[in-house]
Amino acid sequence: MENFVDQFVVPGDVIAKIEDLKVRIGHGLLQSKDQIIASKSGILRYSKHHKFYWIENEQKRYIPQVEDMVVGVITEKHAESFKVDIGSSCSALLSAYSFENATKSNKPLLNVGNLVYARVSVANKDMEPEIVCLSVRNKSEGFGQLMAGYLFNCTLGLSHYLLSEDCPILATLGKHIPFEIAVGVNGRVWVNSKSNLHTIIITNTILNSQFIPDDQIENFILKLIESRT
Amino acid sequence: MEAFQKIHPLEFYRKFLQRSVRPDGRSLNDIRKTSISTGAITTACGSSFVKIGNTSVICGIRSEVGIPSFENTDQQTNIFVNLELGPICSNIYSSTKPSEQAMSLSSKLNSLVKRLDIPKEDFYFDQEGKVLWYLYVDIYCLDYDGNIMDASILALISSLKNVKLPRGIIENTNEYYKDTEQLRSLQINHYLFPLSFSIIEDFILSDPSNQEEQLSTSNLTITLNENFEICLLSYSGIKPISETILQESFEKLKNRIEYLKSLIDSAQEH
Amino acid sequence: MTNTRNDGRLNNQIRAFESEQSLLNKADGSARFTQNKSSVLAAVYGPIEVKNSRKQKILKSLIEVSFTPSVGNTTYLDKEKELLIKNALESIILTTLHPRTQISIIFQVFSDDGSIISCAINAACLALLDAGIEMQGLIGSVTLCYNHDKSIYLDPTAQEEKECKSLSVIAYGSQSSQIIMNKTEGTLSMDLYFKSLPLSKEACDKVISYIKLAVKNRIMGTISTNTTSTTIES
C-alpha cells in the first residue's frame, strides 16, 4: 500500500490486497471482498496525524465525514437547533446545546446567515449530518461563530493544501498583511483582516495559488499591494 | 405467500429461479402464448392486434398523400411510427406527460422501419411518383404486462403487411382521386422476429412479465430478419453482458423464428 | 490496398481526441470531449437533493440525464439517447454510496458530426471523474458503422452514418471485457457483428487510456505547483 502513496490512481485500480493489513481507509477508497480499490481519480495520500489513507482530488462537492472541521452558513433557526449549509447534499443539524457552556437559558445568539466553524460529529450516507461547535474535549477552542470577515468557496484539494503544515502561501501572506483565517475542509474559507483591500488581496492570492508556482507567490502579493496603495 | 411476494419480491423470485421455473409456471426460456390478428380496424388502411400473454397491443396505420421529400437517402422516409403508453394499460403511465419509455421505444421502432427496404415504387400514389403515400403507424398498448417491445414489433410488421393502399389518379395536376375499388398491398418481403430478455441476478429470462421487468437489472432486445441478420440489438443494464450470453440469446431466438413466421403469415390470410 | 474514407482515415482509425475539464464554475464537474467535429459538453451536479421527491430511491442515488442537441428542441430521438446514456452510466457509478440523493448529468451538443452518443458517454466519464463521484471503473464508448460492402468503419462521421447499412453504439468498462451497453440498428449479419466485438473493445480501451491520461495530466499538473507532500494538521 505504501508504494501507491502520492501516486495517481483512477477508479477501479486495485491499491492493495488485504491479508494482514490493518489500515484505515478514508473517502475515495473502498473495500471489495479482499481488495482495496480506488473509487475516485486523484492522488493517494496518507495522513500521519489521523493515520488513514484517502484520495485527494480537485472536486468541489463535499461529502461529510466524522471529525472533519467545516465552515457552515446557518439557513434555518429552530427552537433548539439550527440547520446549517455545509455544502453537502443535505443540510447539517447543529444543536443549540453543542456549544461551550450552553444550557436552556444560555443559548447561543445565532441568526440566519451567520457563519460557524464546527466539527462534524455524525455523518453517514443514510442520515443528515450533525455538527457541533465543540472540540473533542468539550471546549470551544476556536469553534463557534465567525464574526465579520469574508467567506469564499474553493476546491477541496485547495482547502487541504491550506491546512497542511507550513503552508507557504499563508506564511508569505502573513509577512505582508495581518489577517485571521478559518479553513473548512468542505471547501469554504473565511478570511478577516483590517481593511477590505487586504481581504481582497488575500482571497485572490489563495485562489490563484493553484496556478502560480511557489516561488512567484511573493512577487504576486507584492504586485497586488503596490497596485492599490 | 402473497405478503412475501409484496415485501420481498426479489427473494420470492429467487426461490423460483433457483429451480429454473417462474411463478407463472414457465421455465426460464418459455414464451407466453402469442396471437396475432389483422384487419380489426376497418377505417385504417392496415391494422393488427397482438397479444403476448396479457400484454396487448393494437396497431393502426393511416395513410396520407404528400409530395416527395428532397432528401436522397437509401433509408425509408415514408413511414412514421409512434408508440403510446397511456394510463389505459397501466397505472404507472400518465395521460398528460408522454413517458420516456414510450419515446425511446418509438425511436427504436422508427429505426427498425427505416431500414426495411421497401421498394420506392410501392409508395407512388400515381404512376410516375410525383406524389407519394405517407404512412403513419400508431401503436397503442392496451394492457401492459411486460415485453412491450416484442408485441410492438410483431404488431408493426403484421400491420405493414396488412396495408392496402387504393390506386391513385391525378387529374388536371390538382385533383386527386382514390380508386377504392382497386387496392394493392405493399411489397414487404422481409419479416422481423423479436425476442426480449430480462436479466435478474445471473438468470436470463425470455419474454419477461411486468414484475420480472421491474426486478431486472438489465434488459436485452434482439430482432432478426428471415435471413438471420440482426435488425436491432439493444442492451442496457446495470451489469455488463458477455458475448457468450449474446450468442445463446440469438440461438434461442432462432428456435422461435419458424413459429413466429407461421403466426405472421396465418394472420395475413384472414 | 487500403480503402481510405472521405477524410483520409483508415477503416479502424478513430478521430483524434481533445478534451477540456472543469470548464464550468457552478457545476460540480464538467468536461468537453471533442472528436474532430463532434463535440459534447457534459456537466455533473451531485450528489444533491432530489428535486422530484416522488422519484427518490431509498437505497440508491437517482441518476438523471438531460440531452440537448445542437440545433432544435429535444425530440424523441434525444429521449432515447438519454435512456441509453443513463443506463450505461448507472452501471459504473456506485449509486449505493449516496442514497436518497440525485446525480444529474446534463449534456449540450456543440456540434454533431457523427458518433455523438459515444462522444457524450466519454464526456460524461471525464465529468464524473472531475466531480469526484465514486465509480467502479472507467467507461469508454465507440460507434461502428457496417457498410454495404461488408467493411467496418470505426467512429463514423455524420455522412458515413447516413450512408451505412447498419450502425452500432457500444460501451465497455475498464473493469471487465463484457459489454456495458450496446444498441445496433440496421441489418447486420451475426458473424460480422461478433467479429467486430474485439475491434470495438480495443477502441474503447484506447478511449479509456486517453481519459486516464487526460485526468492524470490535469491533476498532477495542479498539485505540482503547490507542494509535494500534504499532511492534515490537527
Side-chain angles (χ1 to χ4, degrees):
Chain A
M1 189 112 173
E2 291 73 33
N3 36 347
F4 269 101
V5 176
D6 289 345
Q7 296 288 324
F8 176 72
V9 291
V10 279
D13 281 352
V14 177
I15 308 285
K17 283 210 177 4
I18 305 175
E19 284 132 22
D20 291 321
L21 275 186
K22 274 193 188 162
V23 287
R24 284 174 63 188
I25 52 175
H27 51 91
L29 293 167
L30 286 176
Q31 178 185 358
S32 158
K33 290 175 199 167
D34 63 340
Q35 293 174 327
I36 298 180
I37 301 186
S39 61
K40 291 192 202 185
S41 67
I43 303 187
L44 183 66
R45 298 285 189 206
Y46 176 64
S47 154
K48 290 198 195 75
H49 174 79
H50 291 284
K51 290 197 182 41
F52 72 113
Y53 292 90
W54 54 290
I55 292 196
E56 177 185 354
N57 62 5
E58 292 293 314
Q59 70 180 69
K60 295 182 204 158
R61 173 73 51 178
Y62 171 62
I63 311 286
Q65 227 184 359
V66 189
E67 297 307 317
D68 276 352
M69 283 171 266
V70 296
V71 172
V73 183
I74 298 187
T75 54
E76 283 172 38
K77 181 177 175 177
H78 300 291
E80 305 203 336
S81 62
F82 303 95
K83 271 268 165 34
V84 182
D85 166 33
I86 54 173
S88 61
S89 63
C90 192
S91 296
L93 191 71
L94 172 62
S95 160
Y97 300 121
S98 36
F99 290 80
E100 189 176 0
N101 298 331
T103 60
K104 237 180 171 172
S105 45
N106 186 18
K107 287 205 203 124
L109 296 165
L110 292 170
N111 291 312
V112 173
N114 286 148
L115 297 175
V116 283
Y117 190 65
R119 185 171 58 90
V120 178
S121 62
V122 173
N124 58 41
K125 56 185 177 139
D126 298 300
M127 288 166 44
E128 63 173 4
E130 287 177 28
I131 58 176
V132 291
C133 282
L134 294 170
S135 69
V136 279
R137 290 179 277 241
N138 280 347
K139 300 256 193 274
S140 72
E141 287 187 16
F143 292 110
Q145 187 183 2
L146 299 165
M147 310 278 219
Y150 172 69
L151 177 76
F152 65 92
N153 289 343
C154 65
T155 66
L156 302 194
L158 182 59
S159 53
H160 282 129
Y161 166 64
L162 289 171
L163 285 168
S164 57
E165 280 174 10
D166 304 327
C167 172
I169 301 181
L170 296 179
T172 322
L173 268 173
K175 269 194 273 177
H176 301 278
I177 306 174
F179 67 98
E180 3 169 29
I181 189 169
V183 179
V185 294
N186 56 340
R188 306 237 175 119
V189 180
W190 171 86
V191 175
N192 191 15
S193 69
K194 271 190 285 194
S195 74
N196 290 341
L197 174 66
H198 287 163
T199 310
I200 295 173
I201 293 175
I202 298 166
T203 310
N204 276 330
T205 314
I206 294 177
L207 286 175
N208 283 319
S209 66
Q210 293 174 293
F211 314 112
I212 305 177
D214 290 344
D215 43 352
Q216 294 180 10
I217 292 273
E218 179 118 30
N219 295 339
F220 181 73
I221 300 173
L222 288 171
K223 243 195 263 183
L224 281 180
I225 298 178
E226 276 167 26
S227 65
R228 283 283 171 255
T229 51
Chain B
M1 175 143 110
E2 275 207 18
F4 183 40
Q5 184 176 11
K6 285 214 162 77
I7 299 173
H8 279 299
L10 192 56
E11 271 296 322
F12 177 76
Y13 256 87
R14 211 180 283 148
K15 286 205 187 312
F16 285 91
L17 297 175
Q18 275 161 358
R19 289 169 203 193
S20 302
V21 281
R22 294 194 261 192
D24 54 2
R26 293 189 279 160
S27 79
L28 299 187
N29 295 331
D30 275 347
I31 298 164
R32 294 171 288 184
K33 179 164 176 299
T34 313
S35 65
I36 307 179
S37 71
T38 56
I41 307 177
T42 48
T43 48
C45 63
S47 64
S48 70
F49 178 74
V50 172
K51 217 164 139 70
I52 300 183
N54 280 334
T55 301
S56 327
V57 150
I58 188 155
C59 172
I61 303 189
R62 183 169 49 98
S63 57
E64 275 185 14
V65 271
I67 54 172
S69 72
F70 294 110
E71 268 185 42
N72 192 14
T73 61
D74 288 333
Q75 295 169 19
Q76 213 66 257
T77 46
N78 295 49
I79 309 181
F80 302 95
V81 185
N82 183 36
L83 170 71
E84 297 244 347
L85 292 169
I88 192 174
C89 60
S90 166
N91 59 356
I92 46 180
Y93 301 112
S94 89
S95 57
T96 46
K97 230 178 33 155
S99 88
E100 291 181 340
Q101 191 187 7
M103 289 208 214
S104 165
L105 293 179
S106 297
S107 170
K108 290 200 175 79
L109 292 170
N110 270 306
S111 63
L112 260 182
V113 138
K114 262 201 296 205
R115 300 185 198 248
L116 257 185
D117 283 341
I118 305 174
K120 279 211 176 75
E121 290 72 30
D122 269 10
F123 288 107
Y124 286 176
F125 179 75
D126 57 336
Q127 308 287 44
E128 294 97 51
K130 290 212 202 83
V131 173
L132 297 180
W133 284 111
Y134 285 89
L135 298 178
Y136 295 91
V137 183
D138 286 306
I139 305 180
Y140 285 88
C141 176
L142 297 175
D143 203 346
Y144 188 84
D145 193 18
N147 205 1
I148 185 78
M149 197 62 193
D150 283 6
S152 318
I153 295 176
L154 287 173
L156 175 67
I157 193 71
S158 304
S159 53
L160 279 174
K161 282 180 187 283
N162 181 244
V163 160
K164 298 239 177 344
L165 295 170
R167 193 171 75 90
I169 311 164
I170 306 183
E171 274 183 23
N172 309 330
T173 66
N174 260 338
E175 293 161 18
Y176 302 102
Y177 296 101
K178 290 186 217 172
D179 186 359
T180 44
E181 297 298 309
Q182 292 186 31
L183 297 170
R184 60 174 176 90
S185 42
L186 295 172
Q187 271 187 20
I188 305 182
N189 297 325
H190 294 294
Y191 290 83
L192 291 173
F193 303 116
L195 189 52
S196 296
F197 301 87
S198 271
I199 302 179
I200 301 180
E201 294 186 349
D202 289 319
F203 302 102
I204 301 154
L205 285 69
S206 319
D207 183 22
S209 69
N210 187 22
Q211 193 167 38
E212 287 158 9
E213 274 184 0
Q214 284 173 352
L215 291 172
S216 66
T217 53
S218 327
N219 287 306
L220 170 69
T221 300
I222 48 181
T223 306
L224 294 178
N225 66 9
E226 70 283 356
N227 299 328
F228 300 129
E229 293 171 325
I230 305 175
C231 292
L232 175 76
L233 189 158
S234 169
Y235 174 74
S236 57
I238 298 182
K239 290 215 179 81
I241 194 176
S242 67
E243 275 184 47
T244 36
I245 298 184
L246 279 178
Q247 277 166 340
E248 281 170 16
S249 317
F250 282 117
E251 290 305 307
K252 288 179 195 167
L253 175 53
K254 274 194 204 162
N255 293 340
R256 184 151 153 84
I257 282 184
E258 279 306 317
Y259 175 63
L260 283 175
K261 187 160 190 284
S262 61
L263 268 184
I264 296 176
D265 286 337
S266 60
Q268 298 303 322
E269 281 154 27
H270 298 299
Chain C
M1 179 184 82
T2 45
N3 209 0
T4 51
R5 297 144 78 167
N6 280 341
D7 49 1
R9 283 188 286 158
L10 297 171
N11 285 6
N12 56 352
Q13 193 177 351
I14 352 178
R15 288 173 283 189
F17 305 127
E18 270 175 52
S19 65
E20 288 169 64
Q21 294 165 64
S22 276
L23 321 171
L24 304 173
N25 266 322
K26 271 289 191 180
D28 292 331
S30 55
R32 179 174 168 172
F33 198 84
T34 310
Q35 283 175 248
N36 200 6
K37 296 208 191 106
S38 285
S39 183
V40 178
L41 169 70
V44 171
Y45 288 85
I48 52 177
E49 269 197 63
V50 185
K51 300 276 158 62
N52 186 1
S53 52
R54 264 183 46 203
K55 288 194 192 165
Q56 198 184 71
K57 292 194 196 174
I58 309 175
L59 297 172
K60 287 191 195 176
S61 173
L62 176 73
I63 311 272
E64 289 266 305
V65 172
S66 160
F67 190 93
T68 321
S70 57
V71 198
N73 290 327
T74 53
T75 61
Y76 62 93
L77 296 167
D78 303 311
K79 278 277 177 258
E80 194 207 349
K81 293 190 177 94
E82 281 178 16
L83 269 182
L84 280 178
I85 299 175
K86 178 178 136 162
N87 280 319
L89 296 177
E90 219 170 338
S91 62
I92 51 154
I93 299 179
L94 290 167
T95 48
T96 48
L97 288 179
H98 303 285
R100 293 175 19 245
T101 63
Q102 171 178 325
I103 298 177
S104 295
I105 304 154
I106 297 117
F107 294 99
Q108 173 64 57
V109 177
F110 281 117
S111 58
D112 185 349
D113 190 27
S115 308
I116 203 70
I117 302 181
S118 300
C119 212
I121 294 179
N122 298 334
C125 184
L126 273 172
L128 287 167
L129 289 173
D130 186 37
I133 293 188
E134 286 90 344
M135 306 202 278
Q136 359 171 313
L138 299 174
I139 186 172
S141 169
V142 87
T143 312
L144 290 93
C145 77
Y146 303 85
N147 297 316
H148 296 274
D149 60 357
K150 292 208 182 17
S151 60
I152 305 174
Y153 286 170
L154 262 183
D155 188 24
T157 60
Q159 185 64 27
E160 288 166 350
E161 277 186 359
K162 266 202 220 149
E163 292 167 355
C164 69
K165 192 160 173 240
S166 78
L167 196 64
S168 161
V169 181
I170 192 165
Y172 278 93
S174 62
Q175 291 306 92
S176 74
S177 59
Q178 298 186 340
I179 305 173
I180 289 185
M181 184 276 286
N182 185 206
K183 180 188 169 243
T184 59
E185 57 178 47
T187 334
L188 167 67
S189 82
M190 279 201 273
D191 291 329
L192 198 58
Y193 172 72
F194 284 107
K195 224 174 32 160
S196 66
L197 286 180
L199 186 67
S200 40
K201 167 79 178 142
E202 217 188 291
C204 288
D205 282 341
K206 282 214 186 85
V207 174
I208 289 174
S209 20
Y210 170 77
I211 290 177
K212 242 194 243 189
L213 192 63
V215 181
K216 180 174 182 175
N217 279 343
R218 198 184 140 254
I219 292 203
M220 299 301 265
T222 47
I223 301 285
S224 67
T225 56
N226 287 341
T227 49
T228 47
S229 76
T230 54
T231 51
I232 311 279
E233 255 196 301
S234 55

